[in-house]
């Protein structure tokens, strides 16, 4: 891996496994996972002005305004831990956001080192989302069929016993999120391909197999 901070973008529809894989890469390579979805959910829970503006759009499965997303992200990017390198999970989601990210990075002499598209078919994505849940205290993610805690009802990460499902993981919102993905986010695959940093990964494989492919890509960054 290179000496300047590594910047990785994980692309893929909702449920493709971005958060799951980013979390493992974070632990394996000491990179920081940056999920704009998590940041926005925190803003909604804290009822900040940005959170209040974002709430209804998120519930409807649309995209929050670029201005709000970039504002939240800029604050996070100023934290010192970022120097180790980052994995963007769920950002950018529009060509406009990708352009803003390039601009922010180029001001610091950096660029996106790798954009990885996690390719899954729409049906698998719906199965993954409808079985998704997480530990309420530490956020560790699980799935009813594909990733259960080692001891039923007890979080592997923190021992917590309360689990939550996301409000936007319901059938209607998922359909809308998928439409939003194809219309507004999928064009980023071409965007990063043109920049010469894109790798496509078959994310229909198991969590461990996908992780192996991603680790190889991260290790090949120079
Ligand atoms: P995203 O962050 O892209 O929305 P997640 O990482 O939250 O997706 O994954 C969605 C759900 O699918 C989670 O419950 C996760 O445990 C499960 N999952 C992730 N990757 C795989 C995979 N390769 N095979 C099966 N299930 C997976
Ligand atoms: P996620 O956790 O990535 O699935 O995101 C959940 C929701 O947050 C999305 O359906 C969007 O409404 C919103 N969101 C997350 N990231 C972004 C982004 N980069 N741009 C716009 N909206 C976002």
């Amino acid at each position: 891996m290179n000496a300047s901070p590594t910047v990785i973008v994980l692309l893929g529809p909702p449920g493709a496994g971005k958060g799951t894989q980013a979390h493992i890469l974070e632990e394996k390579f000491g990179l920081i996972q940056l999920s704009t979805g998590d940041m926005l959910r925190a803003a909604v829970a804290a009822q900040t002005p940005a959170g209040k503006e974002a709430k209804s759009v998120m519930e409807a499965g649309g995209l929050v305004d670029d201005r709000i997303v970039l504002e939240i992200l800029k604050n996070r990017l100023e934290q010192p831990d970022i120097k180790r390198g980052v994995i963007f999970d769920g950002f950018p989601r529009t060509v406009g956001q990708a352009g803003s990210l390039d601009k922010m990075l180029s001001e610091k002499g950096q660029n996106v080192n790798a954009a990885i598209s996690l390719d899954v078919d729409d049906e698998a994505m719906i199965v993954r989302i409808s079985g998704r849940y997480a530990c309420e205290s530490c956020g560790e993610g699980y799935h009813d069929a594909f990733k259960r805690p080692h001891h039923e009802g007890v979080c592997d990460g923190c021992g917590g016993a309360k689990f939550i499902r996301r409000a936007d993981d319901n059938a209607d919102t998922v359909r809308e999120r998928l439409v939003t993905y194809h219309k507004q986010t999928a064009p980023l695959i071409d965007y990063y391909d043109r920049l010469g940093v894109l790798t496509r990964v078959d994310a229909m494989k198991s969590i461990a197999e996908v992780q192996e492919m991603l680790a190889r890509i991260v290790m090949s960054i120079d």
Side-chain angles (χ1 to χ4, degrees), residues 200-218:
R200 299 191 78 145
V201 162
D202 177 7
M204 294 296 288
K205 301 242 193 291
S206 70
I207 294 176
E209 286 169 309
V210 175
Q211 178 56 211
E212 240 175 71
M213 294 187 268
L214 297 194
R216 247 181 269 134
I217 297 167
V218 174

Side-chain angles (χ1 to χ4, degrees), residues 14-15 18 35-38 40-41 54 57-59 61-66 69 89-94 97 132 166 168 177:
K18 301 181 296 296
S35 156
T36 43
D38 284 349
L40 288 165
R41 278 185 289 279
V57 181
M58 291 170 76
E59 282 169 356
L63 287 186
V64 175
D65 197 273
D66 286 358
V69 175
D89 146 18
F91 176 89
R93 257 178 156 101
T94 62
Q97 289 180 11
R132 165 161 72 183
R166 276 169 50 175
D168 61 347
R177 284 159 69 199

Side-chain angles (χ1 to χ4, degrees), residues 115-177:
I116 306 169
S117 171
L118 299 183
D119 296 338
V120 289
D121 59 45
D122 288 0
E123 217 162 288
M125 167 248 162
I126 288 169
V127 171
R128 287 186 189 179
I129 285 201
S130 48
R132 165 161 72 183
Y133 63 100
C135 171
E136 188 181 50
S137 8
C138 74
E140 181 73 27
Y142 296 97
H143 190 279
D144 290 326
F146 306 126
K147 187 190 165 197
R148 303 182 72 93
H150 292 118
H151 300 285
E152 205 48 49
V154 182
C155 174
D156 297 341
C158 72
K162 275 201 178 160
F163 297 89
I164 43 169
R165 289 181 194 261
R166 276 169 50 175
D168 61 347
D169 280 353
N170 65 74
D172 285 347
T173 311
V174 168
R175 265 192 294 278
E176 196 49 45
R177 284 159 69 199

